[in-house]
Amino acid sequence: MLEYILELIYPTKCGFCDKICKDGICKKCEIDLKKYEINLLLRNKDYNFKSMHIFRYEEEIRKKIIDYKFNNKAYLYKTFAKIILKNKKVCGFLKSYDIIIPVPIHKKRKLERGYNQTELIAREIAKNSHLKLEKSVLYKAKNVISQSVLTKDKRKQNVKNAFGTKNIEKITNKNVLIFDDIYTTGSTALECVKMLNKYNAQKIGVFTIAKD
Ligand SMILES: [Zn+2]
């Protein structure tokens, strides 16, 4: 109901060109964004997991992710979710997982920002796919400095032991997908994988919108 009312007040726009558009992304922008698409599938042999990344982190993509995270444009979650769900290669990858876990942010940061950007998108993906959103397993134990302001070599140290786990029985024998917005050095994703690897998940994977 609330969603319906919001829709009347704020009709969904294309997140990239602002044209009124029910989908969250218009056909033209969808085609324009193809030039950033890489649909890159990587395998981390050391920790035995696969990761999937849709776009190169540059130009329009970079601008929108920054807008979404730092410029109060929470509504862009719909656009990103739509882009993800329309991508056939990505959907093929998502199919082999049961649970989607958005990378958590610290509760203090969530209060400041008003939302966890990865959670909003993961929730929308879960709503429109077979994946189950699970946000009670992984939590941010330390309010670390934003990775985005650190040099690449400082990032690994910054997120070390930054995450905690609870309710770990929820991932037992499950195929678990960790979702984040950007993959830069991979430190954040790797730290999450390491935390969850301690338990009995069947498989762990990583999925991000963009790769730097
Ligand atoms: Zn558009």
Side-chain angles (χ1 to χ4, degrees):
M1 187 62 191
L2 178 67
E3 218 165 297
Y4 175 71
I5 296 169
L6 283 174
E7 192 74 18
L8 286 178
I9 311 171
Y10 307 105
T12 310
K13 296 183 293 183
C14 168
F16 283 82
C17 71
D18 282 349
K19 214 166 75 184
I20 303 288
C21 157
K22 218 172 121 247
D23 249 4
I25 174 116
C26 75
K27 204 75 212 157
K28 184 184 173 296
C29 292
E30 197 187 321
I31 293 165
D32 284 352
L33 292 181
K34 293 270 178 222
K35 60 175 176 278
Y36 307 113
E37 220 174 273
I38 46 175
N39 297 323
L40 182 67
L41 184 64
L42 299 174
R43 177 187 288 275
N44 182 309
K45 285 187 184 137
D46 297 334
Y47 292 92
N48 190 31
F49 71 93
K50 282 184 190 164
S51 66
M52 175 91 183
H53 317 275
I54 307 183
F55 296 109
R56 278 190 304 274
Y57 185 57
E58 59 182 33
E59 296 172 24
E60 280 300 295
I61 296 294
R62 183 170 179 274
K63 207 174 126 239
K64 282 299 158 190
I65 291 179
I66 291 173
D67 266 356
Y68 178 49
K69 282 171 82 164
F70 303 110
N71 298 331
N72 251 324
K73 297 197 174 175
Y75 65 87
L76 285 171
Y77 80 91
K78 276 210 165 175
T79 301
F80 285 119
K82 208 60 175 192
I83 292 171
I84 292 164
L85 291 164
K86 277 188 168 190
N87 184 312
K88 288 203 177 76
K89 275 188 192 149
V90 168
C91 286
F93 179 73
L94 298 183
K95 244 186 215 157
S96 62
Y97 295 90
D98 310 308
I99 294 177
I100 183 164
I101 298 187
V103 169
I105 58 176
H106 194 268
K107 56 185 181 211
K108 267 192 192 153
R109 185 161 304 159
K110 192 169 173 180
L111 269 177
E112 287 160 15
R113 188 178 293 165
Y115 56 96
N116 173 0
Q117 73 279 5
T118 58
E119 187 184 315
L120 290 184
I121 298 172
R123 183 184 301 279
E124 188 71 9
I125 294 172
K127 225 167 87 181
N128 295 288
S129 71
H130 71 286
L131 288 167
K132 184 176 178 292
L133 175 72
E134 188 48 78
K135 46 177 210 127
S136 70
V137 172
L138 198 61
Y139 65 93
K140 193 76 170 273
K142 284 199 294 188
N143 194 11
V144 298
I145 308 164
S146 173
Q147 292 285 82
S148 58
V149 300
L150 293 174
T151 55
K152 290 192 175 177
D153 54 317
K154 293 238 169 78
R155 292 180 183 212
K156 198 170 158 190
Q157 195 54 38
N158 188 45
V159 290
K160 198 164 193 284
N161 302 322
F163 297 95
T165 49
K166 51 187 182 174
N167 305 314
I168 46 105
E169 71 284 353
K170 291 192 173 177
I171 62 166
T172 304
N173 294 327
K174 301 281 189 212
N175 297 312
V176 180
L177 187 63
I178 296 163
F179 172 65
D180 206 354
D181 43 14
I182 319 159
Y183 187 99
T184 305
T185 59
S187 309
T188 302
L190 186 57
E191 196 62 27
C192 293
V193 170
K194 280 188 195 164
M195 285 306 292
L196 297 180
N197 255 345
K198 296 177 189 166
Y199 309 106
N200 296 321
Q202 191 160 304
K203 174 171 88 172
I204 296 174
V206 169
F207 170 50
T208 73
I209 299 170
K211 182 169 185 313
D212 200 359

